[in-house]
Amino acid sequence: MTGAEIRTKICGIMRAEDALVAAEAGVDFLGLVFVPGRRRRLEIGEAADIVASLRSTVSRPPRFVGLFADQPVHEVVETIKSCSLDLAQLCGQESPAFCKEVSETTGAEIIKVLHISPSESAENSSDEGGIPARLAPYLEAGCRVTLDRLVEGLQGGTGQSFNWDVASQLSRQGYEFLLAGGLTPENVAEAVALVHPWGVDVSTGVETDGHKDVEKVRAFINNARGISS
């Protein structure tokens, strides 16, 4: 995957103006958080307003992704339908059957987050029960996959990276995935060059004082694609 082809996702959008900035910069996906207890969590009405506002403003808007973690299937389905989301990103311990049920019920595509332990290495990632074995059931269920750093007690958005050599090996083996965890405008070009992921996903890395930073959002997208500012 070359930089020009890389998909970009800005997660944790909380304001319509931030969604517009990212859309104008050419982002492919915008993530809206619905996980209880997370700082960026939106109420359904707030999220629906952001989606409707951008779709009425931009002729070719990015695709909207709702983030969930270990929530009842009916809650996930209701939120997807109420907000007219394009995809659901499931960040908890959801089974392949759960993912398939959500997709079949709503028509939304599914991104399943797999968390990579800091102790994971390129040497042991293919062991029995390793990452490929964990990936397989979700790929068979039709899910796309995001690789993110495992931090106990959190289901994503940690701002911490894992060993990119692990992801690079998976890419060389033919797996497609979004890379997340610890990405910033400063290191995303290096990550793309090393890992060759299908896409890159960022939230904390494009924030200043807990809020999306316009210049960081633009720089992240441009740097991921190798575009000079």
Side-chain angles (χ1 to χ4, degrees):
M1 189 70 63
T2 67
E5 299 170 318
I6 201 82
R7 283 77 168 182
T8 56
K9 176 170 171 280
I10 304 295
C11 203
I13 294 292
M14 298 182 67
R15 304 185 306 171
E17 50 264 47
D18 294 334
L20 180 59
V21 165
E24 290 176 337
V27 77
D28 298 290
F29 303 96
L30 291 172
L32 307 175
V33 178
F34 299 97
V35 182
R38 298 311 300 269
R39 176 177 62 80
R40 303 178 187 92
R41 183 177 187 269
L42 295 171
E43 298 297 330
I44 288 178
E46 294 174 316
D49 286 346
I50 291 172
V51 173
S53 174
L54 191 65
R55 286 179 176 161
S56 67
T57 304
V58 178
S59 58
R60 297 181 65 182
R63 305 182 75 198
F64 281 95
V65 185
L67 275 71
F68 307 89
D70 298 322
Q71 291 158 256
V73 66
H74 69 84
E75 183 177 317
V76 176
V77 167
E78 178 187 355
T79 303
I80 292 170
K81 291 182 176 180
S82 297
C83 299
S84 300
L85 302 175
D86 302 295
L87 303 94
Q89 180 167 317
L90 303 177
C91 308
Q93 302 300 314
E94 297 87 0
S95 67
F98 184 103
C99 297
K100 196 168 184 178
E101 181 178 357
V102 171
S103 180
E104 290 178 348
T105 305
T106 63
E109 297 176 39
I110 304 298
I111 300 172
K112 180 67 185 78
V113 177
L114 292 185
H115 294 99
I116 310 301
S117 166
S119 63
E120 197 82 53
S121 70
E123 289 70 30
N124 66 23
S125 65
S126 296
D127 293 347
E128 183 177 352
I131 299 171
R134 292 166 57 201
L135 279 169
Y138 292 102
L139 297 177
E140 290 168 6
C143 302
R144 198 164 283 284
V145 170
T146 290
L147 302 182
D148 199 356
R149 162 73 179 265
L150 174 66
V151 175
E152 293 298 335
L154 292 177
Q155 295 122 329
T158 65
Q160 299 182 43
S161 62
F162 61 93
N163 184 350
W164 288 345
D165 288 338
V166 173
S168 179
Q169 176 170 288
L170 291 169
S171 182
R172 289 195 299 272
Q173 292 171 346
Y175 291 100
E176 288 189 347
F177 52 83
L178 288 105
L179 180 68
L183 295 176
T184 67
E186 291 73 31
N187 68 14
V188 69
E190 177 188 357
V192 169
L194 175 66
V195 176
H196 301 289
W198 181 85
V200 287
D201 188 347
V202 67
S203 183
T204 307
V206 291
E207 292 183 348
T208 298
D209 297 328
H211 299 284
K212 292 295 181 279
D213 183 307
V214 170
E215 296 307 319
K216 288 183 179 179
V217 167
R218 290 174 178 149
F220 182 88
I221 294 168
N222 288 339
N223 293 347
R225 294 176 175 159
I227 299 171
S228 301
S229 2

